[in-house]
Amino acid sequence: EEEPMFPSTNALVEILRQQKMEKDRRDAELRAQQQQQQAEREAQEAAALKARHEEEERILAEQKAKHEEEERILAEQQAKQEAEWFAAEEQRAIEEAEQRAREQEERLLAEQRAKEDAALEMQLQMRMMAAEKKAEEERMMEQYLMEQRAKEEEAEKLRQQQEEVERLAEERRQREEEEAK
């Protein structure tokens, strides 16, 4: 029996069925490949998103750390400035207290010098008064002695005059006695 020129219907159906199966297989492979590629893309996108998120978190953490460091430095500077201010205030208070103490000491020394000067002035005045009193006493004593000498000289003169009068009287009496003899 010679083969027919065209395949039989059954053979065509089988060929078509095989072609369809082949096409379905290729379509399934293509879909699987596309799904795998889609999954890989989604995984890459998710990984990229995660990496970007982690990078943003790292940058935020760095910024936060930097901000905290800046705040710590500012706090240290402020504390240092406050400590310097307190130290300067304390130094100023010490200097003021020392200045007041010096002024008090100078005032006390000035008062002491004034008292000593007043005491010296008083001593000088008392010595001058004592010297004046002594000079006055010496002058009065000298005057008294001069008056006494003058009195004594006057008394001596009177005695001499009295003796002269008595001598003259005695001489006259003797003359009269002689004349009477």
Side-chain angles (χ1 to χ4, degrees):
E1 180 181 17
E2 69 178 53
E3 286 188 8
M5 192 90 122
F6 296 103
S8 66
T9 306
N10 285 342
L12 281 174
V13 167
E14 181 60 25
I15 289 168
L16 287 172
R17 192 178 62 77
Q18 283 180 358
Q19 285 178 346
K20 185 175 185 310
M21 279 175 63
E22 183 66 21
K23 184 177 179 299
D24 287 346
R25 188 183 59 74
R26 280 199 307 270
D27 285 349
E29 284 178 1
L30 188 64
R31 273 198 306 278
Q33 191 179 358
Q34 285 175 343
Q35 284 173 353
Q36 187 180 352
Q37 287 174 348
Q38 179 69 23
E40 285 174 359
R41 272 200 308 277
E42 285 175 358
Q44 284 175 352
E45 285 173 5
L49 191 68
K50 185 182 176 190
R52 193 163 65 244
H53 183 66
E54 286 173 353
E55 179 65 12
E56 285 172 357
E57 282 187 342
R58 187 187 63 76
I59 290 166
L60 281 171
E62 281 179 3
Q63 287 176 344
K64 184 183 176 189
K66 187 179 175 186
H67 183 66
E68 285 173 355
E69 179 65 12
E70 286 171 356
E71 282 187 341
R72 187 187 62 75
I73 289 167
L74 278 172
E76 282 179 3
Q77 286 176 345
Q78 190 175 354
K80 188 180 174 187
Q81 286 173 351
E82 284 176 1
E84 285 171 357
W85 183 82
F86 280 121
E89 282 293 298
E90 191 177 353
Q91 182 63 28
R92 192 171 59 77
I94 289 167
E95 286 171 2
E96 284 178 359
E98 287 174 350
Q99 178 67 22
R100 281 197 300 275
R102 277 197 300 274
E103 287 171 359
Q104 176 73 6
E105 193 177 345
E106 285 171 5
R107 192 164 52 249
L108 289 171
L109 280 171
E111 286 175 6
Q112 184 66 27
R113 276 197 297 271
K115 283 179 185 174
E116 288 171 1
D117 290 348
L120 285 171
E121 183 69 22
M122 180 74 75
Q123 283 181 0
L124 189 62
Q125 284 182 357
M126 286 172 72
R127 284 181 188 158
M128 284 173 67
M129 285 168 65
E132 285 173 6
K133 187 178 177 185
K134 187 176 177 186
E136 179 67 19
E137 285 174 356
E138 285 175 355
R139 193 181 57 73
M140 287 174 69
M141 181 58 75
E142 200 174 319
Q143 189 177 350
Y144 171 75
L145 289 171
M146 282 172 64
E147 287 173 0
Q148 282 298 106
R149 274 199 301 274
K151 283 179 185 176
E152 286 172 4
E153 286 170 3
E154 187 66 28
E156 182 64 24
K157 272 185 199 171
L158 286 170
R159 190 182 59 73
Q160 286 175 357
Q161 286 173 1
Q162 184 68 33
E163 283 179 0
E164 184 66 21
V165 167
E166 287 176 2
R167 190 182 56 79
L168 289 171
E170 180 63 27
E171 284 178 2
R172 198 175 66 192
R173 190 182 55 75
Q174 284 178 357
R175 258 197 326 272
E176 285 174 354
E177 281 179 5
E178 285 178 6
E179 287 173 4
K181 286 180 183 176

